[in-house]
Amino acid sequence: MSASLVARSLASIWHPCTQMQRAAQVPPLAIVRGQGPWLVDEAGQRYFDTLSSWWVNLFGHADARINAALKDQLDRLPHVMLAGCTHAPAVELAERLSARTQGVLGHCFFASDGASAVEIALKMAFHHWRNRGLPDKRSFVCLRQGYHGETLGALAVTDVQIFRDAYDPLLMRSHQVMSPDARQALPGESAADVAQRAAAELQALLEAHHGEIAALILEPLVQGAAGMAMYDPVYLQMARALCDQYQVLLIADEIAVGCGRTGTFFATEQAADAQGQVPWPDLLCLSKGISGGYLPLSLVLVRDRVYEAFLDEDVARGFLHSHSYTGNALACRAALAVLDRFDQDDVLAHNRQQAAVLSAALAPLQADPRIEHFRHLGMIWAFDVRESVAGARFAERFHLAGRARELLIRPIGRTVYLLPPYVLDATLSPWLAQQLLATLDDVLNQAPHDADQPPEPPTA
């Protein structure tokens, strides 16, 4: 018999977001099969994928309809370069996504992953202003605690210390402004009040420096890597108005929060005013769930006024960016199957129903004195374990304790969060809540002398 996948993996693979020095103590799960919300390891142990495998598997693993679409596309056209050629899956996907913005974002540029989409949006924003005769508009504004990826351009507008600090000498400078994170509320303040304070700081920066600023980039409604920091939609309205006032482009990073995760297909939709007007950005980045967790795909949707700044006989005034798999036909076909699921199954209504069930089952957390800032939006749940009770290596211990209860879960520091696939039902939702609550008790009830040592990994 060959060596286990775990041993072979530790000997050959450098895993992402992993301190490999500790990988033997917290070994990777050797997954051999997935079906719906479940993953199965080589020993036959199953795990509920509470994170949708980093937000991507919207409809779980091995979805029959997405499988069928990909098999059909394989027999037609797996890939062709998108420079000088085009194909139906890419065209239809661009059209259908634009329609979901009421046609406001009329052009689509394809890429492979979220960080690449952010790089594209940053380059577009600068190049747009240069083509408009304003080359000094070359800096960017981001929110404190914001995360936009780990390539050099994306890191320059990321304000999460653990990702940024090691590479800071390589990065361009950016402006950071107050996050509207509702957890920052002062006594008597509402989430909307926090948003107002944050917008006031943004306005002061734009008033002083708008001549050099190309764009503001933000994650609408939820800052994921900051520990699922949630904020009031009114901030998006104010940010849009301020960007218009000071001639600054607005980039919405919907890579994690798009595709129905917050309760609407695009999170930005929740900032619609009383007349139903959505404060659409100038550029919108989308990835993760758009291909259902099947193939790497990202894209940037762009307003006409941005696109038109690149139209010229001079090639140098065109947008100069490409990669070999841009608009891959298989990935685009998977994305079309995802959109079909939304259109045919009323996914958002199903999610609202199951979110209510799961939220009710998680209600004990709101009264638990060990917990603070319980929060929920759409298909995202999060809470913070108080520092006084979390103990050492809390995230690691919680992850391993979750495995023992059939949960694949990865806290961010003291923040525990759920991003389940959209296949919850009347049985799975209560079960998931029960297992999560039990895992919390398992970890926090450990004897103090055990707190510094992670439990042994579970066996089959």
Side-chain angles (χ1 to χ4, degrees), residues 349-366:
H350 168 83
N351 287 355
R352 285 192 294 270
Q353 180 186 53
Q354 289 306 313
V357 174
L358 183 53
S359 293
L362 291 173
L365 288 171
Q366 300 187 56

Side-chain angles (χ1 to χ4, degrees), residues 123-137 305-312 314-320:
K123 288 175 65 176
M124 280 181 174
F126 160 72
H127 202 164
H128 157 270
W129 289 120
R130 190 181 74 169
N131 284 353
R132 296 285 190 198
L134 296 168
D136 291 338
K137 293 174 75 67
R305 67 191 185 204
V306 175
Y307 171 79
E308 289 164 0
F310 294 85
L311 301 180
D312 196 280
D314 183 356
V315 173
R317 289 175 63 88
F319 185 57
L320 305 176

Side-chain angles (χ1 to χ4, degrees), residues 104-107 240 279-282 301-307:
V104 173
L105 302 173
H107 297 272
R240 174 72 275 177
W280 294 110
D282 299 294
L301 293 169
V302 182
R303 283 183 184 258
D304 289 352
R305 67 191 185 204
V306 175
Y307 171 79

Side-chain angles (χ1 to χ4, degrees), residues 136-156:
D136 291 338
K137 293 174 75 67
R138 64 180 66 178
S139 64
F140 297 91
V141 182
C142 59
L143 302 184
R144 296 190 190 105
Q145 308 179 71
Y147 173 86
H148 300 287
E150 294 159 43
T151 51
L152 292 180
L155 270 180

